Amino acid sequence: MQIGACYLRVSTDDQLEYSIDAQLRLIKNYCKQNDIYIPNEFIYVEEGISGKRAEKRPAFMQMIATAKLKPKKFDVILVHKFDRFSRSREDSIVYKSLLRKEYDIRVISITESIENDKFSVILEAMLEAMAEYYSLNLSEEVLKGMTEKALRGEYQTVAPFGYKMEEGKLKIIEEEAKIVKLMFQKVSTREMKIQSLTRYINSLGVHTHRGNHFQTSTIDYILNNPVYVGKVRWCPEGKIYKDYKNSKAIIADGIHEPIISKELWDNTQKVLSENKEIYRYKERAETPINTWLKGLVQCENCGKTLVVQKGKYMQCNGYLKGSCNVSSHVKIEKLEQSILEKLKETYNGKLKIEIVPKIKITENTDITLLNELLKKVDEKEKRIKMAYADGVDTLEEYKENKQKISSEREELISKLKKLKDSLQDINQIDEIDEDVYKKICNVYELLINENVDMETKYQTAHFLIEKITISRKTNTLKLTYK
């Protein structure tokens, strides 16, 4: 009796006769007639997934990984049709060749009988080519269908802010529609630019459909989206992003109700176009690191990093994007001097370092991962017992596999104990080692040395400092060491 595996797949375009249950039933009938036994653990199922690329099919990749194991776990792989295995000739040739030549495992289609001779190579290649043609043709037909929908004014993606989708049609959400109108009015009358408008909308407590704060890019997209004037825009190449004037995009009259008037839309587009011309970004080479503080300073209010502006000062990136209402703004020279003073006062003993345990044992991700791995080891042990009970593995193979699993379990338990002990030691630290003050002193000396290049200062500062939190409300700095 041969040991087999079976691969079952349906994608969204498959008909009922190719359902998972139908494929499995036919494969089991084939097994009875051909003296093949398939253990339950070797039944690999993929639902609603395309067969184009193997790496996007987790069950398929798991099956290939199992096929590579020694001793060999199964002799054949059964599929309902060859196009279930793959619709890409490249993938099909690579994996079938690998399985046949390296591991002596054949792929058998139970509905496409092919003899094991030289003519079978031609026939199998023809079947694979037909499957790939079907897949490519299907993609083209789907694209044609979506194009037709766009030309008919049907909306084909997630409902934008201000709308909800009901029975395949956009319906206005009145409360959100008021906010959309407000956005267009504020910009069209030049009362607000996008950055200040974003902060204003966030101050009203309004959130996106995903529950997030609005950002300047979100508002910019809304103001450039013709859906609000009763149109639909769809691009066959994918998302528009900021390429609002994409020549390949289809813009058609929609079947939904507009939120704003054509006049308000036109006025807004005119203002946006003028602003874009005034504040057009100029292409420039990537700016070098001009401060060792880059990437270290955070805004206490929103937690976003302060970014360098015009090479002279730092500004909260959240504020720049409209998601933070506190302008954490500071001159680079002044901030550098303040941090250097803090370092000097610390290693001289004038400032005390407060120890804050960074890791809690109950929350540590490494411990969680090790516990998950232990659970997987337990599952492995159950599987080898089933394989032995089903006659898949011999007694010698079972003993060998069990020994490997026992060794793996002992190693994981040892790692878990060491990690818990080390974390316990970290959380029990109650005083600072003298070497810490020496390191702070060394970093200070390097940072004030004019002969040291900025890249070295940057690397050194990041070696010692975890983050610098700046508070505009209390006008204070908080320095956190690693």
Side-chain angles (χ1 to χ4, degrees):
M1 175 181 285
Q2 286 185 309
I3 302 299
C6 70
Y7 180 67
L8 314 169
R9 181 178 64 82
V10 291
S11 26
T12 53
D13 56 284
D14 278 306
Q15 303 300 317
L16 289 176
E17 62 265 32
Y18 302 126
S19 68
I20 293 294
D21 290 340
Q23 291 178 47
L24 184 58
R25 183 175 64 254
L26 292 170
I27 287 174
K28 284 185 174 180
N29 288 339
Y30 179 91
C31 289
K32 288 179 182 177
Q33 296 167 12
N34 292 273
D35 199 25
I36 299 173
Y37 170 66
I38 300 179
N40 288 334
E41 62 185 296
F42 296 149
I43 298 176
Y44 300 93
V45 180
E46 222 117 45
E47 295 192 62
I49 293 179
S50 167
K52 284 185 179 179
R53 303 304 303 173
E55 63 269 17
K56 293 185 178 180
R57 294 184 281 155
F60 180 88
M61 296 310 294
Q62 184 184 354
M63 177 180 70
I64 298 298
T66 306
K68 295 178 180 180
L69 296 176
K70 292 182 180 179
K72 188 166 71 172
K73 301 301 179 185
F74 42 78
D75 305 297
V76 293
I77 295 175
L78 302 173
V79 291
H80 179 247
K81 293 177 68 176
F82 281 121
D83 67 359
R84 298 301 84 196
F85 188 77
S86 176
R87 282 185 179 164
S88 161
R89 275 179 297 170
E90 181 184 351
D91 278 350
S92 186
I93 291 169
V94 168
Y95 286 108
K96 283 182 182 177
S97 176
L98 173 76
L99 292 166
R100 184 171 57 251
K101 293 179 181 179
E102 298 293 329
Y103 306 104
D104 192 27
I105 296 174
R106 289 182 59 210
V107 178
I108 297 174
S109 165
I110 65 166
T111 57
E112 297 159 324
S113 179
I114 295 178
E115 299 299 327
N116 193 20
D117 55 30
K118 59 185 178 181
F119 298 107
S120 67
V121 177
I122 298 173
L123 180 56
E124 193 170 338
M126 289 177 61
L127 291 170
E128 288 167 356
M130 289 171 63
E132 185 166 9
Y133 168 78
Y134 172 76
S135 180
L136 293 171
N137 187 60
L138 179 65
S139 297
E140 290 179 3
E141 292 301 317
V142 169
L143 189 62
K144 284 180 185 177
M146 294 181 75
T147 302
E148 287 301 316
K149 282 186 175 182
L151 292 171
R152 292 198 300 267
E154 296 180 37
Y155 201 78
Q156 303 181 74
T157 184
V158 179
F161 183 81
Y163 289 99
K164 61 182 176 180
M165 191 68 77
E166 282 187 1
E167 297 178 355
K169 185 177 178 181
L170 292 176
K171 297 290 184 182
I172 292 176
I173 302 173
E174 292 299 334
E175 290 303 313
E176 290 184 1
K178 292 176 184 177
I179 300 298
V180 171
K181 287 178 183 177
L182 182 66
M183 292 178 187
F184 279 89
Q185 288 166 355
K186 293 285 186 184
V187 172
S188 66
T189 58
R190 293 182 169 82
E191 183 181 344
M192 287 184 178
K193 291 187 175 64
I194 291 180
Q195 191 182 75
S196 55
L197 174 61
T198 307
R199 282 193 288 274
Y200 176 68
I201 295 298
N202 285 325
S203 71
L204 298 177
V206 182
H207 292 87
T208 66
H209 281 178
R210 294 184 178 181
N212 300 323
H213 288 297
F214 281 87
Q215 293 196 357
T216 50
S217 57
T218 318
I219 302 290
D220 183 54
Y221 189 83
I222 288 174
L223 295 172
N224 283 281
N225 193 346
V227 72
Y228 298 109
V229 74
K231 305 277 186 180
V232 293
R233 178 178 60 203
W234 180 78
C235 185
E237 293 182 342
K239 291 184 178 180
I240 291 291
Y241 294 108
K242 291 189 177 182
D243 188 13
Y244 305 125
K245 306 297 182 183
N246 191 316
S247 60
K248 296 182 180 180
I250 295 172
I251 298 179
D253 291 331
I255 58 175
H256 63 280
E257 185 181 348
I259 288 178
I260 62 169
S261 66
K262 179 72 164 52
E263 182 183 5
L264 180 55
W265 167 263
D266 289 340
N267 289 340
T268 303
Q269 298 312 301
K270 182 181 177 182
V271 173
L272 290 173
S273 181
E274 290 173 358
N275 289 343
K276 187 176 181 180
E277 193 63 34
I278 294 171
Y279 301 105
R280 182 185 296 276
Y281 289 107
K282 296 179 181 178
E283 290 187 8
R284 57 181 181 269
E286 187 176 345
T287 55
I289 298 172
N290 55 1
T291 174
W292 45 267
L293 290 170
K294 186 177 180 180
L296 288 175
V297 191
Q298 294 183 3
C299 168
E300 184 190 53
N301 187 62
C302 69
K304 296 287 177 63
T305 304
L306 270 66
V307 294
V308 177
Q309 296 287 296
K310 298 181 180 179
K312 294 182 179 179
Y313 64 91
M314 302 184 84
Q315 173 74 66
C316 169
N317 200 31
Y319 183 81
L320 290 173
K321 293 186 176 180
S323 59
C324 181
N325 58 5
V326 176
S327 177
S328 295
H329 173 284
V330 62
K331 285 186 177 180
I332 291 174
E333 185 180 356
K334 183 179 178 182
L335 184 57
E336 282 183 347
Q337 193 58 42
S338 296
I339 299 303
L340 289 171
E341 289 174 5
K342 298 288 183 189
L343 294 175
K344 189 174 182 180
E345 289 175 8
T346 301
Y347 77 75
N348 282 333
K350 293 180 180 179
L351 280 181
K352 184 182 178 183
I353 298 177
E354 179 188 355
I355 303 169
V356 180
K358 187 176 178 181
I359 307 169
K360 298 291 184 185
I361 290 180
T362 56
E363 301 170 354
N364 184 262
T365 53
D366 290 338
I367 288 179
T368 304
L369 177 61
L370 287 172
N371 282 325
E372 289 297 324
L373 290 174
L374 279 171
K375 288 181 182 178
K376 289 184 179 179
V377 168
D378 292 338
E379 291 172 4
K380 284 183 186 178
E381 190 169 34
K382 289 179 182 177
R383 285 202 297 271
I384 66 164
K385 286 180 179 177
M386 289 176 63
Y388 174 63
D390 291 340
V392 176
D393 287 349
T394 64
L395 179 60
E396 288 73 20
E397 288 172 331
Y398 170 68
K399 287 180 178 179
E400 183 182 348
N401 288 332
K402 188 174 181 180
Q403 180 60 41
K404 289 179 181 178
I405 289 173
S406 297
S407 299
E408 188 178 350
R409 181 184 286 109
E410 288 174 9
E411 186 179 351
L412 288 172
I413 291 172
S414 176
K415 285 182 179 179
L416 190 60
K417 185 178 184 304
K418 287 179 182 178
L419 183 58
K420 285 184 177 180
D421 290 343
S422 64
L423 293 177
Q424 193 68 41
D425 291 340
I426 290 172
N427 290 333
Q428 289 176 352
I429 293 174
D430 56 2
E431 62 180 24
I432 299 294
D433 193 286
E434 285 300 319
D435 286 343
V436 173
Y437 292 102
K438 192 178 294 184
K439 286 179 184 177
I440 295 173
C441 179
N442 291 339
V443 170
Y444 170 81
E445 295 292 344
L446 186 141
L447 292 176
I448 63 172
N449 190 334
E450 295 181 357
N451 296 321
V452 177
D453 63 275
M454 186 56 69
E455 177 67 29
T456 303
K457 289 184 178 182
Y458 171 84
Q459 296 291 345
T460 305
H462 281 252
F463 166 76
L464 176 70
I465 301 169
E466 178 77 26
K467 63 181 177 180
I468 300 163
T469 309
I470 185 169
S471 172
R472 292 290 293 177
K473 294 177 182 178
T474 59
N475 199 29
T476 57
L477 292 172
K478 182 179 179 182
L479 187 60
T480 305
Y481 298 106
K482 287 185 178 178

